Amino acid sequence: MLGLRRWPAFGVRARAAGAALIASALAFAVATPLVGHIVRVRLEHAALEQGWAAIADLEARVRAGAGGGEFQNYSYAVLAENGRWLRSANLEDPRDADPALGLPPLPPGQFGTDSPHMLGTDLVSVRYPDGHAPHYRLPTAGPRTYRFLRKLTEPVTGARLAQLPPNGPRVDPANLPDQQLLLYVLIDPLTGDETADTLTRVLAHDVAPATSLFVALIAWLATGLALRPVESIRRQMAVVRGGAFHERVPVPRARDGIHRLARTTNDTLDRLQHALDEQRRLVADASHELRSPLAALRSSLEVPLAHPAAADWPTVVRSALTDAERLQDLADDLLLLARAERDTDRPDRPADTVDLHDLIAEQIAERQYSGRELAYESELDEAVLTGRETLPARLVRNLLDNAARHADGRVAVTLAVADGWAHLTVEDDGPGIPAADRERVFERFVRLDDARDRHTGGAGLGLALVRTIAHSLGGTATAEPPGRLPGARLVVRLPTANGS
């Protein structure tokens, strides 16, 4: 558990190398005994195939009365019907040590030309206790079962038996009657055991540690190469952190996770730089815009204070209150602009809904009873938006304020719904917006030449708020060429609730 707790403290390269080392060691731990078992089985199968050939050859030679050194490559025994060993090579009769040991003879009733053992060769297993084995070359530590091929020959004449060279003083083949012989050939496990044990030992003690360390080294180097782009990104981000927000991280050509990380990082830096630029511009523009009302407010108070006896204090207070209201309106617009931009960056949306058509109808109704006589024309389809009422209401108010400020006598409002989008169009019969300025009018503190008067033209934040609010609601705001009326034509496109 302590090792697992310390694991996260290691670096990525160390963890990759450690994981590769552990994986390689586990793979060898599973594969080594499996490979040894497969090799042992294959060699035992080969020994069995050799045993089949050996017992067939042995039967042919015994029946022909042959014998001698050419049998020394086999581990075999030739038994008489009474169980006596007539001849053997590389096998020992263990009955001298223990009468219960030895190759199992056939019962007397199993001999004969109609015996089932005349039909083929048997594969029999003989278990030797601890300290005993069929031959001195075979291991004797612990009990073990050895396999033999057993074959019953056709009857062999005494003359043929007499030709078998004696194999020790136990039985003289020259004095035997005609009989069937029982042949045994050992399926030698020694080659398979030694090869499998040697292979297992080499894999476990030599190959596995060296290979595991080599794999860990390769994982270390490969991880270092794979993390080289990440290190480049880190160094570049350190430069950006120092204030060089125009710098961008390198994007590797391989389209993998690091490529996507670099792309996302650059996109984030683009947005960060844009936000910083907007913040600097907002601060500069706000400072510039606040100068005039603050200067007017200060002068309207300093002059009466210098000549208090001649001052018309009610007029002074009304003038100061007007300037203070302008400052408050400007501050409110800036605060609402900041909130709308913050909502633009938030993926979540409130679950409330707003009836846009009712909201537009209410504001048009209020304006028809205002002091200025303007004719409002409206064609409103039902449109429901997702969100709170504050932002859509301010969007509609700013559009209508802008149209009323520039209209000569008519304002037309159209709300149409199609394909899950609400299209709000506000037109007037004023001087219109030149084609070169149709994008610029949505910037902050921008006033066209005929709207430079701060008392009638506003602070220049109305249409900037319209576009920002539209973006925060997932839509767009554009200025288009004149349509049914000759003046300005502003179009806002907003997604409806549930795409309906």
Side-chain angles (χ1 to χ4, degrees):
M1 292 297 295
L2 184 60
L4 292 177
R5 292 176 182 174
R6 291 182 178 178
W7 177 263
F10 294 101
V12 174
R13 298 182 70 182
R15 280 181 284 176
L21 179 65
I22 293 173
S24 179
L26 290 176
F28 273 103
V30 174
T32 298
L34 181 61
V35 170
H37 175 72
I38 293 174
V39 170
R40 180 179 283 107
V41 170
R42 292 291 180 88
L43 292 177
E44 288 178 354
H45 181 73
L48 181 60
E49 293 290 337
Q50 293 175 0
W52 284 101
I55 200 168
D57 185 31
L58 178 62
E59 180 186 17
R61 292 178 180 274
V62 167
R63 289 175 56 192
E70 61 268 24
F71 287 109
Q72 299 303 315
N73 293 330
Y74 306 149
S75 297
Y76 72 91
V78 180
L79 277 64
E81 289 185 1
N82 58 6
R84 293 296 185 93
W85 283 43
L86 300 181
R87 180 170 181 79
S88 66
N90 300 325
L91 288 182
E92 298 176 353
D93 187 358
R95 288 178 294 180
D96 294 336
D98 187 349
L101 298 177
L103 300 177
L106 284 179
Q110 294 291 325
F111 286 90
T113 56
D114 58 347
S115 171
H117 295 281
M118 291 289 295
L119 302 177
T121 303
D122 300 272
L123 182 62
V124 297
S125 298
V126 181
R127 186 169 182 80
Y128 285 77
D130 186 15
H132 295 276
H135 186 54
Y136 71 91
R137 295 189 307 111
L138 299 175
T140 59
R144 177 162 181 172
T145 299
Y146 293 91
R147 298 188 303 164
F148 295 83
L149 286 174
R150 183 172 62 182
K151 175 70 174 178
L152 182 63
T153 68
E154 294 181 358
V156 181
T157 63
R160 293 294 188 187
L161 292 176
Q163 295 178 11
L164 287 174
N167 191 27
R170 184 181 300 276
V171 177
D172 184 4
N175 299 324
L176 294 176
D178 298 350
Q179 61 182 296
Q180 292 176 279
L181 301 180
L182 193 60
L183 309 180
Y184 281 91
V185 173
L186 174 67
I187 306 302
D188 186 6
L190 191 60
T191 303
D193 290 345
E194 291 178 349
T195 304
D197 292 342
T198 301
L199 180 62
T200 301
R201 184 173 59 255
V202 170
L203 287 177
H205 297 155
D206 300 328
V207 177
T211 304
S212 298
L213 291 176
F214 178 74
V215 171
L217 177 61
I218 294 299
W220 173 276
L221 297 176
T223 305
L225 292 176
L227 291 178
R228 187 173 295 176
V230 178
E231 178 62 21
S232 301
I233 294 175
R234 187 202 63 79
R235 289 196 299 266
Q236 198 67 15
M237 286 299 295
V239 174
V240 173
R241 185 182 60 184
F245 296 105
H246 62 282
E247 295 288 343
R248 295 295 179 264
V249 301
V251 179
R253 289 181 295 178
R255 296 187 176 275
D256 53 6
I258 299 179
H259 175 89
R260 294 190 294 273
L261 172 63
R263 292 281 302 270
T264 303
T265 302
N266 285 337
D267 291 342
T268 303
L269 291 176
D270 289 340
R271 297 189 65 180
L272 177 61
Q273 183 179 10
H274 177 72
L276 290 175
D277 293 342
E278 288 295 313
Q279 183 182 24
R280 294 190 184 104
R281 191 164 67 88
L282 176 62
V283 171
D285 292 343
S287 300
H288 177 75
E289 292 297 324
L290 289 173
R291 277 183 180 180
S292 296
L294 286 175
L297 178 61
R298 182 173 180 176
S299 63
S300 65
L301 295 176
E302 285 179 345
V303 173
L305 284 177
H307 307 281
D312 184 0
W313 287 106
T315 302
V316 171
V317 172
R318 282 193 295 270
S319 177
L321 182 59
T322 300
D323 291 334
E325 288 176 350
R326 290 184 58 216
L327 287 173
Q328 183 177 2
D329 291 340
L330 180 59
D332 290 342
D333 286 345
L334 290 174
L335 180 60
L336 182 60
L337 188 64
R339 288 177 178 175
E341 290 177 343
R342 180 192 61 190
D343 291 340
T344 302
D345 296 332
R346 293 176 58 185
D348 55 329
R349 290 286 182 267
D352 301 337
T353 57
V354 179
D355 294 332
L356 183 61
H357 52 285
D358 290 342
L359 198 154
I360 297 172
E362 291 175 1
Q363 293 207 23
I364 291 177
E366 292 176 0
R367 293 170 185 276
Q368 287 178 340
Y369 296 100
S370 62
R372 185 180 179 188
E373 293 184 358
L374 288 176
Y376 286 90
E377 305 170 4
S378 62
E379 297 179 7
L380 307 178
D381 293 343
E382 291 187 3
V384 180
L385 306 181
T386 301
R388 295 185 297 269
E389 184 178 342
T390 305
L391 293 181
R394 187 55 182 269
L395 181 147
V396 174
R397 182 180 299 113
N398 285 8
L399 286 174
L400 295 179
D401 284 346
N402 181 79
R405 185 179 298 117
H406 299 93
D408 290 335
R410 297 173 60 194
V411 175
V413 181
T414 304
L415 178 61
V417 178
D419 299 328
W421 291 88
H423 299 264
L424 173 59
T425 304
V426 178
E427 303 174 84
D428 61 68
D429 59 350
I433 303 175
D437 295 324
R438 286 174 188 158
E439 185 64 25
R440 197 168 67 89
V441 293
F442 292 101
E443 298 179 3
R444 298 168 185 167
F445 303 110
V446 169
R447 302 180 186 86
L448 301 184
D449 292 338
D450 60 350
R452 290 292 182 182
D453 185 2
R454 298 182 187 273
H455 294 284
T456 60
L461 290 176
L463 294 184
L465 270 171
V466 168
R467 172 164 284 185
T468 303
I469 292 173
H471 286 174
S472 70
L473 296 176
T476 60
T478 56
E480 297 183 356
R484 55 191 293 187
L485 296 181
R489 185 171 186 261
L490 302 176
V491 179
V492 175
R493 187 169 175 263
L494 300 173
T496 59
N498 300 324
S500 60

